Every structure is written in structure tokens, then in C-alpha cells.
Amino acid sequence: MPKTDMTLDRINDLLARAKKAGADDADAVYVEGTSLSVAQRLGKMEKLERSEGADLGLRVLIGKKQAVVSSSDTSDAALNELVERAVAMAKNAPEDPYCGIADPSELAASFDVDALELCEPGEVSQDKLIEWASACEEAARSVDGITNSEGSEAGWGRHQITLAATNGFANSYAGSGSHISVSVLAGTGTAMERDYDYDSAVFSTDLRDPVEIGKKAAEKTLRRLNPRKVKSTQVPVIYDPRVSSSIVGHLSGAINGSGIARGTSFLLDAMGKEIFAPHINIVDDPHRKRGLRSKPFDAEGVANEKRYLIENGVLKTWILDLRSARQLGLKSTGNASRGAGSLPGPSTTNLYMEPGTISPEDMIKDIKSGLYITEMIGSSVNGVTGDYSRGASGYWIENGELAYPVSEITVAGNLKDMFKSVVPANDLTFKYGTNAPTLRIDGMTLAGQ
């Protein structure tokens, strides 16, 4: 981590200066981080980067007005200037009847950061990252049929977040992460195809073998060669886990408290209603051990916990920070997120759909004709109506098996209908911040040739 003298005592002193300068309330977030990454292409190193940095964000509130100012300079003179600017901006800001820091009763009072295993001890060396990137690309290029490489990359990082406010909250936590990726090509000329594989984890020891990642990327690339076009039709669609998380992501966008408060969501009147099939459960869990987005408290110091957004198909809660909760006359769900230079806003943490009981293979067995999607391109999703239209490529399903690669397809439907039709397989893995198993959605409209 970068060396810093921004201790909790100094941050609390900053808040005291803000109050002395005229603020009624204030909070401050300090984010410091270190990252190391390497990249190679065709066996030659193309990048070796290390960065260290820190940012301090101060939010001050005067009545129902607020302002945020950030700085990477933490000298006493810079902090005095930060306070002056923030207070002056707040005085001239428009009133916001819903702004404000948390009531002390809403704050996270007790939590076990160590139990979450958010941060791997030590640092992954550049030699280890070079070894991973090299092994990954070599494994991919060693597969017959691979003609070129877009390169491989490996990286590691660690960050520490400190949050303090004039309501008495003052805590911090650290997190880490590592990743490996590779992208290769097969074929020649206009018949060339590319694909990739990737893995990420909080602890580097949880990463898949770089050789396995490389070979998987090569296998996926070769399977995409000579794609065909399909005719416009209506068929069942299977979403590979690489893209199935997007369906869960569309739900989180539709139930985000900011959109609900503005009245701009197609699920505005869906609270307490069955919007998925009865066997569907979707969870947001900020306390998942070694979760990529785990955290012991939210960005406003509010207590957070595992929540079922969808339970037995029924919508149970919005995703709320303090501001959106106040607009809706509700309590924050502990989902505030923010950067050093931004106001808090509602966001999910480790979001996932619980797995079903059927295997992906059995899920496909009864499909006479259908589409298996492995990649999505662009997005045209109307958050107000739920209308859905996205470019896709993948494989055509014939008589229960993947028959041949297909591309240049548009998949369309309405998210309300799609949610009702979702069937999850049993292959959930936690690879991203938002995860879902293989999903089947019947009755999708395809626009092809």
C-alpha cells in the first residue's frame, strides 16, 4: 500500500475543521491503492506497470445543501483549502430535501472484517504475474488451429477504504484481487474468429490454473470458426454463464432506488408481486467470504447484510441508499456506494441467482431448435418499458445438441416476460461481481438473415 499519514485521527480532525468552517454535518472517504499488472503478446512482454495512489473525498452538508470535493494532496494546507472549497460550494448548491448522513441508529455497530477474508496477505510478485501471463498465452497458442494472439494479462491489486462522519462513524477495511486473461484468434483473413477466457479472485490461490485458462480460450475460439447466419424465428434461448449475469444485472437496474424514486422503472409497481417463477431466488450478499464485492459496511457507514431481492419469485426489496430510501419513505438497505469525488448512490454487492437442479446438458436436451449465447454485443434495453434487444453470437442448438457456431443475431423480448420464463441450471460459479448459472428463456424472438 502507498505510505500515507491520513490516519483516522487526521480524518476526524478534517471533519472537525469542516464543522468549524460552517458545515452542519460532514463525512470523508479516503481510498488508497496499489496495483501491479503485466501483459504479453506472442511471447513478448508488452506491459509492466505498477501504480500507487490515494484520493480523499470530503462531503459537507449545510442545512439541505451538500457538496463534495476531492483531492490527492493530504498536506495540512491542502486540507484547509479542501474544507474552504467544500463549504463554499455547499452554500451555493441547490437544496436537496433528501440528503444527509446516517442517523447513529442506522450505523454498522459491530462486524468481523477478518471473517469476510477480503484481503490476501502479502503481495503477488511481478515474477509470478509474468509467469502466469506467459503460461496462459503459451497454452493457448500451443493448441492446433490458433493462428494469432491478442495477448494475455495478469494483475494484482490491493486497496484500503476509510470512512468517517460527524455522526461518530469511523472505520476502514482493506481488499485485494488478482486476475488472469487471454484472447486468441483462429482462422485467416475475413474468416478469422477470436475468443477469450478469464478468471479473477480475491485470493490469488483461488485462481484457476493459467494453463487451463489458456487452453479453454483456444477451445472456445476454434469452436467459433465458420459461423452461420440464422433465419428470423422464435425459439428457446440458453444464456451461457459468461453472459447470463446480464439478466440479473437488468433486474438490479430496474429495482435501483434512484430509478424507483424517479418513477422510471418498468418494475415501479412490482413490489411484493411474483415477477419470476416460484423457484427463483436472487441474492445480494455483501458478506460473502472472499466475494469480489464484499464489504463490512456500505459507503454511508450503514449496516449491510445478505438480502433476498427475489424470494420464491417475489420481489422483496428495492436497492436503497439513504437518499433514495428517504424519497420512498423507507429505510436504507445498506447498498450505498461512492467514490472519493462523488455522492453516494445505491448499488449491489455480490449479486447472484441461486442455482437450479437441472444440468446445462439436460436443459438443452429437449430443444429441437434454439440458440446458445456465449457473447452479447451492444445493448438496447428500455428501463421504462422493459423492452429488450441485444446483438448476440454463440451456437445453434439442433435436437438437443450444439450443432454449429452462429453470429450476427439480434435477440429480442420484454424483460417482464423473460423474467417469468427464466429457468436456472445447477452450474453457478462466482467469477464476477454479478453471477448467474446457465439460464434458459423460452419464446425469445431472433432477428437474423
Side-chain angles (χ1 to χ4, degrees):
M1 298 295 295
K3 300 297 183 183
T4 177
D5 59 356
M6 280 306 296
T7 61
L8 270 174
D9 285 343
R10 285 200 73 207
I11 293 173
N12 280 321
D13 177 63
L14 176 69
L15 298 177
R17 293 191 213 182
K19 292 205 75 170
K20 187 176 180 181
D24 296 321
D25 282 303
D27 62 15
V29 61
Y30 186 65
V31 182
E32 50 186 333
T34 299
S35 65
L36 179 64
S37 63
V38 301
Q40 76 163 49
R41 180 175 178 271
L42 300 176
K44 296 181 180 179
M45 185 181 297
E46 290 196 332
K47 180 180 78 171
L48 173 56
E49 295 179 351
R50 181 184 180 91
S51 65
E52 299 185 358
D55 285 296
L56 172 67
L58 173 67
R59 175 173 64 146
V60 301
L61 298 102
I62 300 174
K64 288 299 180 180
K65 299 179 178 183
Q66 64 178 346
V68 174
V69 178
S70 64
S71 173
S72 57
D73 186 347
T74 58
S75 65
D76 280 339
L79 295 183
N80 284 332
E81 183 183 346
L82 193 73
V83 168
E84 290 174 8
R85 288 205 332 255
V87 170
M89 288 173 63
K91 288 178 178 178
N92 292 291
E95 288 208 353
D96 179 352
Y98 305 108
C99 72
I101 62 175
D103 184 271
S105 64
E106 298 175 291
L107 298 174
S110 61
F111 44 83
D112 186 352
V113 176
D114 292 339
L116 300 183
E117 296 186 12
L118 301 177
C119 194
E120 180 177 23
E123 179 175 321
V124 178
S125 69
Q126 71 176 44
D127 289 342
K128 177 60 72 175
L129 295 179
I130 292 169
E131 177 187 323
W132 288 350
S134 178
C136 191
E137 190 189 37
E138 284 177 13
R141 294 178 64 206
S142 71
V143 177
D144 287 344
I146 296 301
T147 56
N148 208 335
S149 171
E150 291 187 337
S152 61
E153 185 167 331
W156 165 89
R158 181 186 292 136
H159 63 271
Q160 180 155 334
I161 296 174
T162 302
L163 176 67
T166 52
N167 54 16
F169 187 85
N171 272 294
S172 67
Y173 63 93
S176 65
S178 299
H179 69 270
I180 306 170
S181 65
V182 65
S183 176
V184 289
L185 298 97
T188 58
T190 58
M192 197 176 293
E193 295 289 337
R194 59 160 290 281
D195 213 320
Y196 70 95
D197 201 16
Y198 169 88
D199 198 21
S200 62
V202 171
F203 278 57
S204 61
T205 50
D206 293 333
L207 289 169
R208 289 159 51 212
D209 182 354
V211 172
E212 177 197 341
I213 294 170
K215 289 190 176 297
K216 194 70 173 178
E219 175 189 320
K220 291 177 178 178
T221 303
L222 292 169
R223 290 188 68 179
R224 292 182 63 150
L225 285 172
N226 304 312
R228 306 183 196 177
K229 307 294 187 292
V230 299
K231 293 182 178 180
S232 298
T233 185
Q234 195 171 57
V235 294
V237 169
I238 305 293
Y239 286 79
D240 183 86
R242 195 157 71 167
V243 293
S244 62
S245 61
S246 66
I247 301 298
V248 182
H250 293 316
L251 169 73
S252 70
I255 64 173
N256 184 287
S258 295
I260 297 300
R262 290 193 304 268
T264 56
S265 169
F266 67 93
L267 294 180
L268 185 63
D269 301 317
M271 182 56 64
K273 296 179 181 178
E274 188 176 281
I275 62 172
F276 284 81
H279 57 275
I280 300 296
N281 295 299
I282 298 178
V283 180
D284 185 55
D285 185 5
H287 295 170
R288 185 175 182 274
K289 186 181 290 187
R290 300 194 183 187
L292 289 170
R293 294 183 185 167
S294 293
K295 49 187 175 182
F297 48 83
D298 82 349
E300 295 175 307
V302 173
N304 56 11
E305 62 183 0
K306 179 179 178 180
R307 290 179 185 271
Y308 278 82
L309 308 183
I310 303 293
E311 187 171 17
N312 299 322
V314 176
L315 177 60
K316 306 296 287 186
T317 182
W318 308 124
I319 299 164
L320 303 170
D321 64 348
L322 285 170
R323 185 179 186 279
S324 58
R326 289 173 184 138
Q327 284 180 282
L328 297 169
L330 300 170
K331 290 287 187 182
S332 171
T333 56
N335 281 101
S337 177
R338 67 179 288 193
S342 63
L343 294 170
S347 179
T348 55
T349 58
N350 300 300
L351 178 65
Y352 63 94
M353 180 183 290
E354 291 185 347
T357 57
I358 188 172
S359 71
E361 294 76 18
D362 288 340
M363 178 178 279
I364 297 172
K365 267 185 182 178
D366 69 334
I367 298 178
K368 185 176 179 180
S369 294
L371 174 64
Y372 186 98
I373 299 177
T374 58
E375 186 173 20
M376 308 211 77
I377 306 136
S379 180
S380 177
V381 178
N382 189 317
V384 178
T385 65
D387 289 336
Y388 174 97
S389 177
R390 297 197 65 185
S393 61
Y395 304 97
W396 193 248
I397 302 169
E398 279 187 354
N399 301 317
E401 294 184 350
L402 302 185
Y404 49 84
V406 292
S407 63
E408 297 183 24
I409 301 168
T410 299
V411 183
N414 185 278
L415 287 170
K416 284 186 178 181
D417 300 325
M418 293 167 65
F419 290 167
K420 280 283 190 180
S421 301
V422 166
V423 177
N426 62 0
D427 59 342
L428 175 68
T429 57
F430 291 91
K431 192 172 180 178
Y432 313 102
T434 299
N435 297 278
T438 300
L439 300 179
R440 173 172 171 169
I441 303 178
D442 286 358
M444 298 292 289
T445 299
L446 307 187
Q449 63 181 11

